[in-house]
Amino acid sequence: MIKITTSENKKVYFASDQHLGAPTPEKSFPREKKFVAWLNEVKKDAEAIFLLGDLFDFWFEYETVVPKGFVRVLGKLAEIRDSGIPIYFFVGNHDLWMKDYFQKELNIPVYHSPQKFLINNKIFFIGHGDGLGPEDKGYKRMKKVFTFPLFKWMFKWLHPDIGVKLGQYMSVKNKMISGEEDAKFLGEENEWLVQYCKRKLESEHYDYFVFGHRHLPLEIKLQKNSTYINLGDWINYYTFGAFDTTSFKLTEFN
């Protein structure tokens, strides 16, 4: 478990689901600039920054090639990391084919599953959120295919001009991949990530569960001292989370 202690007047920030590149690079560009503006703002008092997946609408790392574009956000992440601020990245269902580019080029660790963090003596369970809980069965089957080593090996032999265009097309068109087909509140009893968190609490205490993927800003009390947070997205809501010495706040970036 990684431990983070905030200094005086510092905060830990969380954001998810920027989906840069969708539906087209041109239409995504204003969102990228807005996200870079947010990074410029939070770096002033950030103790650490968590990015919880789907930063890109499609991402695949060949041995020597990554998708072109996103120069502004990648440069800003490099600048922030070089300044000494830790950044933690969790892959989502759109960028699950990340390998080691972020680690080698940006010195940013990449996680492929939820992780436990101790932040100011509060226990956090953090991840993207895809494939967790009792539902999402269609996506779970699809994820098994996408992460199967043979499938990844076959895909990488496609020329990048073909593979990247195919991946971008599927990411935009397939709602099962995008996760947007049910981007509405289902009620606490039907939210599968809420059910997942409650089940986790049966065996271990967590003060905060922080996820993305649902494209909805949500804050739900699970128990007296345990809260489920969904960060929303940077397509419709432009929301982010901030944790100071004692409390978590979900805020829209204007």
Side-chain angles (χ1 to χ4, degrees), residues 10-16 38 42 45 48 50 119-120 122 124 207-211 217-221 227-232 234 238-254:
K10 294 281 189 177
K11 297 178 181 178
V12 177
Y13 289 99
F14 303 80
S16 181
W38 177 78
V42 303
D45 64 351
F50 285 81
I119 307 177
N120 288 354
K122 299 291 185 181
F124 281 70
D207 295 284
Y208 293 98
F209 294 86
V210 186
F211 294 109
L218 298 171
E219 187 171 353
I220 297 174
K221 205 75 172 175
T227 305
Y228 160 72
I229 305 286
N230 197 283
L231 297 171
W234 284 71
Y238 301 96
T239 42
F240 66 95
F243 181 73
D244 56 19
T245 54
T246 58
S247 62
F248 195 107
K249 185 177 182 182
L250 202 56
T251 307
E252 180 183 355
F253 179 64
N254 291 313

Side-chain angles (χ1 to χ4, degrees), residues 17-143:
D17 292 272
Q18 292 76 23
H19 287 267
L20 301 180
T24 65
E26 294 76 20
K27 291 182 178 180
S28 165
F29 184 57
R31 300 204 321 273
E32 182 176 0
K33 291 199 297 183
K34 188 166 185 174
F35 184 62
V36 169
W38 177 78
L39 290 170
N40 270 325
E41 186 67 26
V42 303
K43 73 177 184 180
K44 299 173 184 176
D45 64 351
E47 189 73 54
I49 298 172
F50 285 81
L51 302 178
L52 269 57
D54 288 356
L55 175 62
F56 310 109
D57 198 63
F58 173 76
W59 184 270
F60 186 89
E61 294 179 21
Y62 294 84
E63 291 299 322
T64 58
V65 175
V66 296
K68 73 176 184 180
F70 320 116
V71 173
R72 288 164 183 80
V73 70
L74 291 172
K76 185 56 61 177
L77 292 175
E79 173 196 319
I80 292 172
R81 186 65 195 95
D82 288 348
S83 74
I85 298 172
I87 301 174
Y88 304 93
F89 190 91
F90 289 78
V91 304
N93 47 303
H94 283 252
D95 41 28
L96 55 81
W97 282 336
M98 279 195 167
K99 291 172 60 181
D100 57 6
Y101 180 76
F102 267 39
Q103 291 99 316
K104 291 181 177 179
E105 189 69 23
L106 305 175
N107 194 25
I108 294 174
V110 173
Y111 301 97
H112 290 261
S113 60
Q115 301 292 320
K116 185 162 64 173
F117 286 78
L118 184 65
I119 307 177
N120 288 354
N121 295 318
K122 299 291 185 181
I123 303 174
F124 281 70
F125 194 74
I126 300 170
H128 181 64
D130 61 311
L132 302 179
E135 299 301 327
D136 222 2
K137 294 179 180 178
Y139 168 71
K140 287 177 182 177
R141 289 191 292 268
M142 186 174 288
K143 185 175 181 179

